[in-house]
Amino acid sequence: MSKQTSILGRTSAIALALAAVSTVSAAWAQDAQAPASAQASEDEEIIITGSHVGHTAFNSPTPVNTIDSERMKDLAIPNVADALNQLPSFRATTTPATQLFRVTGSIGGNSADLRGLGVTRTLVLLDGRRIVPSSDNGTVDMNGIPSALVRRSEVVTGGASAAYGADAVAGVVNLILDTNFDGFRADFNVGQSGHSDAENYFFSAAGGTSFANGRAHIIGGVEYQRQEAEGICPTRDFCNKHTNYVANPGYIGGVSTNGLPATIVMDNVLFVYNPTGILLGARTSGGVTLGQQINNTGATALPNALRGLQWSANGQSLVPFQFGNYLSGQFMQGGDPSAQQNWGWGDVPLLTPTSHASAFTHVDWDITDHMHGFAEFMYSKVEGGPVKSAFLLQAPLGGSTNAININNPFITTAVRNQILAADPTITSLLVNVVKPEGGEQAVSDSDNNIYRALFGLRGDIFNDWNWDIAFEHGETHSRVNVHDTRLKMLDNQATQAITPPGGYTGTIYHTAWGDPVICASSVSNPSDGCEPVDFFGANSITASQIAKYFKDEWQTRTIVQDDLTANLHGTLFNGWAGAIQGAVGLEWRHEEAEGQADALTLAAAFSAPQVTPLPRVSREVTEGYVEINAPLLSNVPLAQSLAVDGAYRWTNYSNAGSAEPWKVGVQYTPVEGVLFRVTKSNDIRAPTAAELNPNTITTNLPLVDPFGGGTHLIATLNGGNPNLGLENAETTTEGVVLQPGFLSGFRVSLDHYDIEVTGAIDSLAAPAILTACFSQNLLCNLITFSGAYKASPAASIYSNFQNLSRLHAEGYELVAQYSINDVLGGNLDLSLNANNVIDLRTIGATGLITKLDDVTGNAGSLTNIAGVPQYKIDGIVSYSRDNWTLTAHGRYIPESILDPTKKGPEDPGYNINLANSVSLNRVSSRFYLDLSGSLRPSATLWGGRMELYGAIYNVFDTEEPPELRLFGNPLQYDPVGRAFRIGLRSNW
C-alpha cells in the first residue's frame, strides 16, 4: 500500500490548499453570516441528492424517495440498511440472511442494491460525500454509520453520475446526518424469533451540544448490534421439505416416456450420498460407463447383481441400499434411511451470525463570520460468521473423471470378487460418500475495520454564492478466515491407494484389516507426504487424516481512499422567469486496494479455494462538473413554472479511461399542485478492485473441443482483468407529481425509468466461449490454440471478467404520502411505496437473454444479479397521539416465475417433450404484516422523556413459498418467520 510518508505528503498538500482557499474566501466575504449554533434548522423539504442545485423530494427532475428517522421509529427498525431494504425498489442482496455458502470480505455487511442491478451499481454517500469501500467489490457497508445520527436517507432512483461520478448507474443512497442535534438520546432493544432463535441485541446513543460561546457544535454517536444465528434448515418447514429439481429419468431421447416433463419439481429430494458409500456405477476396460440408470445419462446398466448396493458400516462388505423414486444423477426422492439427513448441506444456519459496532463524531466551528470549518471521524467494526458450507463431500468419487480403482486396497477381497464376478471387465468404481466425521468444511468468518476522517471548510463569497472544500481519508482493514478447506492432495492422491510395490522404502500404511497400502503418487516420490484414505464404511477417516488434509486459509484486504472535493454554487443572474442557478466543482480521488493470502492458497494447494490474494490495484480519478438550473417560464397561462436542469461531468480514470457523463432534466408545472418531470442521463460505472484483480486461477477441465474434436483437458483461467474499461448506461425517467391543494397533506409521485447498461462487466463459462467462437465467430480472442488459429485444438481459455454484456431495467416507481391531522384527537399518517418491473434482463456476449423480471426462483447469470418480482407493494398506516403510537406495515409480493429458462404448465407453449419442460414454474405470492407500537409517559426522568416500544414482525408467521428450491430466496422473502422486538428509547 502507499507508504505513510506519501499519505502524509498528500494530506499536507490538501491542508495547504484548504488554507489558500480560506484566505481567498476571507478576502472576498461581504455579507455577515450567523454562527453555526445560530443557523436555522434545515427545512425538512430540502433535498439536494442528485443535484448541486436545491430541490425538494416532489419537485426534483430525478425521482427522489426520502426515508426519515420517524419511519424507522414507527416500525421499530434499528438499522438504516434494514429500513432501506424494505422499499420495493431495493433488493436485499447483501445481508446476514443472504450469506449462505458465500465467503466474502464482509460477511456481516449490509449494502444497497437499487433496481436489482447489483450492489456495485448503487452509490452510497454520507452527506453527499463518498465513503471508503468496505470490500474489494467496491460496496459500502451502511453499518458503519450510527443510525441515531441519521436524520433521513435520500434515495435517487435514477442515474446520477453527472452529479456524483461513477457507480451511480442505478441511483444514489445519501445518508443525511443530523448535524444540528442538541441533547442526548439512547435506544436499547432486544428481539428473537417465534422459534426461539435468531436473537438480536441493539444499543445506540447519540449526543450533541454547542460550545465556544455558541460558535461551535459537536455531535457524536455509538452503536452496537448483534444478530445471532437462525436455526438450521430443519427448523423451518419451507426448508425441511427439501424441495428441488430432479431430471426426469423417463425423459429419453427428447421424448417423455412416463407422462412427466423433462424436469420435475418435488419435495423430499435427497442427495444420493451416505456415510458409508453408495455404489453408483463403474467403468470397464473397454471404456464403457455402467450406471444405476440407463436412460438420460447415456450409461449402460450395471449388472443386476450390483444394483442397489452400499458399503456396510465396517466397510468390508456390500449390503442393500434402497434408492428412492426418480433416481437421477445425484438426486432421488426419498430412499434409504442412511440418506435421509440429506447429506450435502450440513448444519447451515438460515441466518448468519453477525455483529457491528460503530462510532461517529462531527464538529462544526466558526472560523470567521464568513468561513466555517467542519471535521468528522468514523470507525466501525463488522464481524460476520461463521458461515458454514457443508460436510466433506467426495465429489470426485461420484461420477466425475476420477474413480476408485478396483484394486484399491481399501476394497476388501470379498467386495472385489463380488464385483468382478458380476462383470470381470470392471476396472474402477463410481462411489458417492459423505464423511460427517470430517465435520463442516470451508467454515468462514470475517472481521472488517473501517476508518474514515474528513475535514473541510465552507463559506460565502457574495450574495448567495457559497463554497466548500473537503478532504476525506478512509481505510478498510479486513481479514477473512476459512477453516477446514480440503487440500487437492486428498482428491487427487489420497483417493488413489495401491498396494506398495516390492522394494518400496517410504512410509507404509495399513488398512483396518492389516493389508499394506500407500498412495500411488508415493511410488515415484516416497517423500510426498501422502497418506491414503479409506472412504468406505462409517467413521473411516481418522482425526489425524482430517488434520492433515483440511487446512485453514485466509485473506486480508487493505483499502485506502483519499478524496478531495471543491464546490461553488449560487445564482448566476436573474432571468425573465427567475433566478438562474449554477454550480461547479472539482474532485480528485486516489483509490488503492491490496491483500495477502496464506501460503497454501498461494501454492494452489486447495481443491476449491475460497480466498485469493489481491496484488496492489491503484488508480487516480480526476473529475470536474458544471450544473445549471434555468427557469424558462413563470406564472403564465398553462405554465405556472417551467425549468431546465443540466449537468456535465468530465472524469478520467488512470486505469480505465475517460468519460463524460451528463444529465438533462425538465420540470413543468402547468397549474399549482401538478408537476411533470423528465430526465435523460448518461452514467458510468468503474470496475472494482476485485474485478481488476490480475490474479487468475487455472483449472484444467475436460471440455468438448469443437476445434480439436473430442474431449480433452483445456486450461481455463478464471479471475479478474486489469484491462477492464468503464461500463456505460443511458437512463431516462419520466414522471408526474400531484400535490392537490384541496387535499392538504397528500402528495404522490409516479415515475417511469428505463436504464440500459452496455459494456457490463461479466464472465462467461469456458464451454460457452468455445461454442460462441465455433458457431458464431464470437469471443475467439479469449481462446489460445495449440497451433493454427481455429484449425487446431484449444489450449487455454480466458474465462475472466470482460466488458461484454448488457443490462436493461425498466419499470414504474410509485411514492405516496397522506397525513391527516386531528383524527379522533390524533394524527393519521399513510404511506405507500410500490415498484412495478416491466423488464430486467441480461444480454450476454453471445446474445443469450436471461430474464430476471417476474422471477424469484433461480439466480441470473450476470455477476451480482438475481431476479425480482414483477411488482412489490409496501404500505404503512400509523396513528399517533401525544403518549402513544400504533403502526401497521404490510408488504406484498405477487406470484412469480420459478425459473425463466424453463416452461411449466402455467406457461404458453408448454410440452412435456420439450427439453426445458418443468412440472411447476410458479412461486406463490406472499403478504407480510408487521405491527408495532410505542408508549410515551408524560412523566419525565431526570428531565428526559422515555418511550417504551415493541413490534411483532410477520404476524401470521408466513414462511417462504413452498415451491422455492432448497434454502428458498431470502433476497425477497422472510426466512425467519414471526419475530418479536421490545425496546426503550430516551431523549434529553
Side-chain angles (χ1 to χ4, degrees), residues 101-104 389 441-444 480-489 491-492 551-555 557 597-613 695-699 718:
F101 309 114
R102 280 199 270 168
V103 177
T104 70
S389 179
Q441 65 170 315
V443 179
S444 58
V480 175
N481 301 297
V482 185
H483 309 282
D484 299 322
T485 302
R486 191 167 78 242
L487 293 176
K488 284 182 180 177
M489 183 179 286
D491 292 342
N492 301 337
K551 300 294 184 180
D552 294 348
E553 52 180 333
W554 55 262
Q555 73 175 33
R557 291 291 186 267
D598 61 279
L600 289 172
T601 295
L602 295 176
F606 289 107
S607 177
Q610 302 295 308
V611 302
T612 179
N695 278 347
T696 57
I697 298 175
T698 302
T699 306
N718 297 278

Side-chain angles (χ1 to χ4, degrees), residues 66 173 240 251 259 283 354 510 585 596 686 728 759 763 770 853 976:
T66 304
V173 174
N240 196 38
Y251 185 79
R283 292 198 176 100
T354 61
H510 294 84
Q596 302 299 323
N728 290 280
S763 61
L770 284 169
D853 59 280
V976 177

Side-chain angles (χ1 to χ4, degrees), residues 351-370:
L351 188 67
T352 300
T354 61
S355 69
H356 78 260
S358 57
F360 187 94
T361 185
H362 175 99
V363 61
D364 290 278
W365 67 94
D366 297 338
I367 300 173
T368 70
D369 289 344
H370 312 288

Side-chain angles (χ1 to χ4, degrees), residues 672-760:
E672 184 175 358
V674 179
L675 169 70
F676 296 96
R677 57 189 179 191
V678 178
T679 299
K680 179 78 173 180
S681 68
N682 173 268
D683 302 286
I684 59 174
R685 181 177 84 87
T688 67
E691 293 165 338
L692 292 169
N693 188 345
N695 278 347
T696 57
I697 298 175
T698 302
T699 306
N700 292 312
L701 297 177
L703 301 175
V704 177
D705 184 358
F707 300 99
T711 299
H712 64 95
L713 292 177
I714 301 177
T716 302
L717 289 77
N718 297 278
N721 181 357
N723 299 315
L724 290 172
L726 298 170
E727 292 184 354
N728 290 280
E730 297 287 338
T731 300
T732 303
T733 61
E734 311 105 348
V736 59
V737 181
L738 303 177
Q739 299 183 83
F742 61 85
L743 196 58
S744 177
F746 175 78
R747 51 191 179 182
V748 60
S749 65
L750 177 64
D751 292 277
H752 169 259
Y753 62 88
D754 191 307
I755 305 172
E756 181 87 27
V757 183
T758 57

Side-chain angles (χ1 to χ4, degrees), residues 1 42 154 210 242 244 272 302 368 378 415 465 582 935 955:
M1 301 304 299
E42 184 180 348
E154 300 170 355
S210 297
H242 303 313
N244 205 348
V272 186
L302 271 174
T368 70
M378 178 185 80
V415 169
W465 280 88
L935 293 173
V955 172

Side-chain angles (χ1 to χ4, degrees), residues 123-134 138-142 144-145 173-175 376 378 450-452 472 474 476 561 563 589 591:
L123 180 62
V124 177
L125 304 172
L126 180 61
D127 277 342
R129 298 183 178 90
R130 289 184 179 253
I131 308 172
V132 60
S134 56
T139 59
V140 170
D141 182 4
M142 290 182 288
I145 299 95
V173 174
N174 191 9
L175 305 177
E376 58 192 34
M378 178 185 80
I450 302 172
Y451 307 83
R452 179 180 183 267
E472 176 258 356
T476 294
Q561 176 178 276
D563 192 22
R589 191 164 64 253
E591 300 170 328

